[in-house]
Amino acid sequence: VSREFNRKEEAKRRKRTYLIMADLTKYVDAAKVTALNYDKSTKPESIFGGQGLIKSDTDEQLLIVVPFTEEVKIRHISFSAEGKEGIDSAPKIVKIFKNAESMEFEEAEDTEPTAQLDLSADDLKNAEKLKLKFTKFQDVNSITIFVESNQGDEDVSFLSNVTFYGQSKPGTNMKELKKAG
């Protein structure tokens, strides 16, 4: 009887956890975050979990690949761009791709994104939670963020924080997988 009770309680706990929309920062695999066309004096992983900084290098475009430690479902995303760089260098058009870890700029420009956002200065100043189409962001192992342009057509774009909101899929922690055999 106690074993059956424990299974039912565990199922209830998982269901409650499953329904909660939370900050997914703890599931970002920061050590594996990569970026293309970023100023090497900035760190791509710093923009997850606090106010960090990533700046583009040769033009306004940035491509950031964000792997997760376990599968997640994403409902909202927020961007923040605070700093001496000014709002004109903050992202405007951002394309988001699900599970596209090896994307290059040409592919990001030519491929239909999973979502495209047109950010306002207020979205960035207030770190507004922007709703994503939840059905398109199920079973997410990674997100690729393509900053296509910025608010003022400046030569450099920057971001200080990105936060994903949603839920994890219990039992899919990639770090806990063991080699078979």
Side-chain angles (χ1 to χ4, degrees):
V1 173
S2 68
R3 186 177 287 168
E4 182 64 28
F5 176 76
N6 287 339
R7 272 192 249 152
K8 285 181 181 178
E9 286 301 306
E10 179 64 18
K12 284 181 188 177
R13 185 192 66 76
R14 283 188 179 175
K15 189 171 185 178
R16 280 193 307 269
T17 303
Y18 189 70
L19 295 174
I20 295 171
M21 290 297 136
D23 179 338
L24 297 174
T25 300
K26 70 181 182 181
Y27 300 106
V28 171
D29 195 346
K32 294 183 180 175
V33 170
T34 59
L36 296 177
N37 189 40
Y38 75 99
D39 180 331
K40 302 303 186 255
S41 70
T42 64
K43 296 183 187 242
E45 68 275 11
S46 72
I47 63 172
F48 302 98
Q51 291 298 327
L53 178 66
I54 184 171
K55 292 194 307 189
S56 63
D57 191 20
T58 59
D59 61 23
E60 77 283 3
Q61 294 185 335
L62 270 169
L63 197 62
I64 307 164
V65 179
V66 186
F68 295 95
T69 58
E70 61 186 69
E71 252 180 34
V72 295
K73 296 179 178 194
I74 301 173
R75 186 173 294 266
H76 296 90
I77 188 170
S78 70
F79 296 90
S80 175
E82 299 175 21
K84 62 183 179 213
E85 289 78 6
I87 200 68
D88 285 348
S89 291
K92 179 160 181 60
I93 303 296
V94 176
K95 293 181 178 178
I96 302 171
F97 300 90
K98 171 186 152 186
N99 299 336
E101 291 187 34
S102 59
M103 188 170 271
E104 299 285 332
F105 282 101
E106 187 174 316
E107 188 179 1
E109 290 171 340
D110 297 340
T111 303
E112 182 73 25
T114 312
Q116 181 169 319
L117 303 171
D118 187 351
L119 303 176
S120 71
D122 285 340
D123 291 337
L124 295 156
K125 287 178 187 172
N126 302 322
E128 291 291 328
K129 283 186 185 177
L130 305 166
K131 190 170 186 167
L132 299 173
K133 189 163 182 142
F134 191 58
T135 55
K136 289 188 173 190
F137 288 92
Q138 306 287 308
D139 306 320
V140 177
N141 295 308
S142 70
I143 288 291
T144 298
I145 299 168
F146 174 44
V147 175
E148 188 169 50
S149 64
N150 58 40
Q151 298 288 321
D153 294 321
E154 298 292 323
D155 292 338
V156 173
S157 293
F158 84 101
L159 268 171
S160 52
N161 184 269
V162 176
T163 305
F164 301 98
Y165 298 91
Q167 60 206 53
S168 69
K169 285 185 70 178
T172 60
N173 188 334
M174 301 305 165
K175 290 182 176 181
E176 292 176 359
L177 290 178
K178 295 193 173 34
K179 208 176 215 181

